[in-house]
Amino acid sequence: MADGADLSLKSRVSEAEWQARVDLAALYRLVALHGWDDMIFTHISARVPGPEHHFLINPYGWYFEEITASSLVKVDLQGQIVQETQNFINPAGFTIHSAVHAAREDAHFVIHLHTVAGVGVAAQKEGLLPIGQNACLIQHQVAYHGYEGLALNPDEKERLVADLGDKPLMLLRNHGTLAVGQTAAAAWVGMFFLERACAQQVAALSTGRDGVLFAPDAAQEETKGQGGGLSFISALAWPGALRMLDRRSPGYDA
């Protein structure tokens, strides 16, 4: 585990905050297990229940596989640390997250990744294509935001949230993927489907577009109506994801 690990905060925070910490730490570990992390970069954040408008984010310099519930850093909407901790955060990394949290009441959890497949599809003019079932289920839920460089400019926040609108998923052009959810489970399943769809698209187009079979229009429309089942899927999949973490990456809930 990284240097500067905090002692357990479980007895020093509310039950609601502790649960948010455990769920967020689980998201970090799941991303690492799937190989979707980017060394110490990218971020996943969570809103702390309560009126203070505080948020949790990873300590800068830690790998995702090291994150624990107690190591997460609590900040305000400006990214200022509001707890006693030996750790610090990457303020630039909170730019995207603070924008989404401030604009979307339902965005309790925000996942942002830089995967090879996600960036690969985000860099394609047509964006996500109806190549596989995963894409057909979510393509109508995916927003797009143009690349403006590293997320350091506060003025970009307004444009990003306008592009996101009320959708739960986004492809940030030349940059990566984003998923929001009212629960960790919803954000995780949304990101899983998006990343899987991107990987399938990269694989299908690896030898060129000629000969690649797109889903028929009627099937796309039919599948679009079936996409509401993702909320049901998330409720089923999340407990299993936690059981997998208990076997393969224990200690996230410390």
Side-chain angles (χ1 to χ4, degrees):
M1 185 174 293
D3 292 337
D6 291 315
L7 298 174
S8 177
L9 295 179
K10 186 173 183 178
S11 64
R12 292 180 276 160
V13 300
S14 69
E15 184 176 340
E17 177 177 334
W18 182 250
Q19 187 60 56
R21 284 178 172 272
V22 171
D23 286 344
L24 182 56
L27 287 175
Y28 277 102
R29 296 290 188 98
L30 285 168
V31 166
L33 277 178
H34 282 76
W36 294 344
D37 47 345
D38 185 17
M39 202 167 70
I40 62 172
F41 306 108
T42 80
H43 308 273
I44 312 172
S45 59
R47 177 180 290 125
V48 177
E52 295 87 359
H53 300 290
H54 289 162
F55 306 88
L56 300 168
I57 199 165
N58 54 312
Y60 198 30
W62 288 48
Y63 278 65
F64 283 16
E65 67 184 18
E66 299 176 312
I67 299 296
T68 65
S70 295
S71 70
L72 293 161
V73 181
K74 185 161 59 175
V75 300
D76 62 21
L77 199 53
Q78 288 70 47
Q80 300 300 311
I81 295 175
V82 294
Q83 70 174 87
E84 184 178 349
T85 178
Q86 301 176 43
N87 300 309
F88 63 100
I89 72 164
N90 177 5
F94 194 57
T95 300
I96 290 173
H97 294 258
S98 62
V100 177
H101 282 301
R104 291 276 296 272
E105 185 60 33
D106 63 327
H108 292 188
F109 291 84
V110 179
I111 306 174
H112 171 47
L113 304 178
H114 295 163
T115 66
V116 174
V119 175
V121 173
Q124 296 175 14
K125 290 182 180 180
E126 294 177 290
L128 190 64
L129 297 170
I131 290 175
Q133 183 166 270
N134 294 86
C136 291
L137 282 167
I138 63 169
Q139 60 182 350
H140 62 290
Q141 301 181 53
V142 179
Y144 295 84
H145 175 64
Y147 187 56
E148 300 187 23
L150 295 178
L152 301 173
N153 184 0
D155 293 340
E156 186 181 356
K157 290 183 178 183
E158 183 177 346
R159 293 184 289 275
L160 187 146
V161 299
D163 288 338
L164 179 62
D166 62 356
K167 294 184 177 180
L169 303 170
M170 175 177 268
L171 284 171
L172 293 95
R173 294 295 194 179
N174 311 100
H175 188 170
T177 53
L178 183 112
V180 306
Q182 192 155 6
T183 64
W188 170 246
V189 168
M191 181 58 82
F192 183 91
F193 271 69
L194 179 57
E195 285 290 341
R196 183 59 60 89
C198 288
Q200 291 164 349
Q201 180 165 324
V202 170
L205 298 181
S206 62
T207 58
R209 182 164 173 169
D210 291 345
V212 173
L213 182 66
F214 288 7
D217 292 344
Q220 290 184 50
E221 193 62 29
E222 179 70 16
T223 310
K224 177 181 176 180
Q226 298 167 336
L230 289 183
S231 59
F232 175 69
I233 293 171
S234 67
L236 286 176
W238 185 246
L242 297 183
R243 291 193 299 271
M244 181 178 68
L245 284 181
D246 288 338
R247 294 191 303 270
R248 298 174 59 185
S249 187
Y252 66 93
D253 53 351

